[in-house]
Amino acid sequence: EMTCPSPGSSENIVSLWLLNDVGDEEDVGVPFHYYDDLHVLGVFPEMAPLAGNTTIHIKLYKADPTSSYSCVFGEKNVDAMLMNDTYIECVTPRWESQGRTT
């Protein structure tokens, strides 16, 4: 596994190449997509029962269809479902302690 921080770009799609320490380079063969920063416009509902299982609707400025999303409720991470280019949905987990919700 290799981790590479992506530099900023003014282009939306760029070629991705790998370069080793002796100068060999290889085209990965997959376009790398840049997208605008995630911008949340609204969340509904803003509260849910402690028992969980409530669908939360999150309105985004522009969702990237090539990305996967998740919601983090305190320490609990749940997958989000992309509904269209401006909405994702998450189902709340059962809540057992206090903490930060993002």
Side-chain angles (χ1 to χ4, degrees), residues 23 44 48 51 58:
F44 180 81
I58 302 167

Side-chain angles (χ1 to χ4, degrees), residues 48-54 76 92-97:
L50 292 172
N53 204 32
T54 299
K76 296 182 180 182
T92 60
R94 179 175 180 76
W95 193 250
E96 298 170 3
S97 64

Side-chain angles (χ1 to χ4, degrees), residues 42-46 55-58:
V43 176
F44 180 81
E46 294 179 6
T55 300
I56 305 296
H57 308 274
I58 302 167

Side-chain angles (χ1 to χ4, degrees), residues 5-79:
S6 61
S9 176
S10 60
E11 300 180 49
N12 289 344
I13 301 174
V14 296
S15 297
L16 179 60
W17 289 78
L18 294 179
L19 178 67
N20 68 16
D21 58 353
V22 294
D24 296 331
E25 58 184 43
E26 181 178 340
D27 183 357
V28 174
V30 177
F32 184 81
H33 296 260
Y34 280 93
Y35 60 91
D36 294 328
D37 291 338
L38 185 61
H39 186 78
V40 176
L41 300 174
V43 176
F44 180 81
E46 294 179 6
M47 294 185 291
L50 292 172
N53 204 32
T54 299
T55 300
I56 305 296
H57 308 274
I58 302 167
K59 183 170 177 59
L60 303 175
Y61 167 67
K62 185 172 32 173
D64 178 7
T66 64
S67 292
S68 59
Y69 295 91
S70 60
C71 296
V72 181
F73 297 89
E75 301 295 322
K76 296 182 180 182
N77 188 347
V78 296
D79 291 336

